[in-house]
Amino acid sequence: MLLAAIATVCLAMPAHTHVIDPFRAPPCDRCAGNRGVELATSAGADVRAATHGIVTFAGQVGGRNYVVVRASADRRVRVTYGGLAALAVTKGEAVSTGKSLGTTADTLFFGVRVGDRHVDPAPFIRATPAANATPHATDATPRATNA
């Protein structure tokens, strides 16, 4: 079921960037790890929605701005963007792939959850940035954790 959920959602890269800190599955729910990927960005870089969906959260957690989008293709899939300097969306707003969510402060956290399970987003990111994205399928296999 987990594989089927994420296979229905193909993600665009949320910014012109590359991974500087990969996904590291934590050994337990509260253990250290990286529940997404850290992306290198310049301060003020535009962050764009990686998929169509509804904003379920836009605000601060621990002094950092986050946006969470529930994917339209599968409501179990949530995409998290963290480390934003400014937010351009609000809770309840519908977004399409490529819509600006805000700008970065420095690096960008990019995470994916299917239900309560964090999965490595890397296999589902297409090379095309969200600003130029067009939908297409993927046959990648995610790595999931219980975290």
Side-chain angles (χ1 to χ4, degrees):
M1 187 156 56
L2 176 67
L3 295 175
I6 194 66
T8 63
V9 179
C10 186
L11 304 173
M13 186 65 100
H16 291 282
T17 185
H18 63 278
V19 174
I20 57 172
D21 190 7
F23 179 84
R24 291 184 314 282
C28 70
D29 286 350
R30 297 189 185 265
C31 293
N34 192 5
R35 290 165 174 81
V37 295
E38 294 290 333
L39 303 172
T41 62
S42 302
D46 198 22
V47 176
R48 297 184 176 272
T51 190
H52 300 295
I54 301 293
V55 176
T56 60
F57 180 83
Q60 285 199 350
V61 176
R64 292 187 74 190
N65 284 324
Y66 285 84
V67 171
V68 178
V69 174
R70 183 175 304 275
S72 295
D74 189 318
R75 292 182 43 81
R76 296 171 293 175
V77 177
R78 290 173 287 168
V79 182
T80 301
Y81 310 81
L84 283 77
L87 302 177
V89 293
T90 57
K91 182 178 178 179
E93 187 174 337
V95 297
S96 56
T97 303
K99 167 139 176 59
S100 179
L101 302 176
T103 57
T104 59
D106 47 28
T107 62
L108 174 66
F109 172 82
F110 184 59
V112 175
R113 283 183 287 171
V114 178
D116 290 331
R117 299 182 81 187
H118 296 271
V119 299
D120 183 354
F124 305 98
I125 300 172
R126 59 180 165 239
T128 306
N132 306 321
T134 55
H136 72 279
T138 182
D139 61 355
T141 303
R143 290 173 280 180
T145 70
N146 290 325

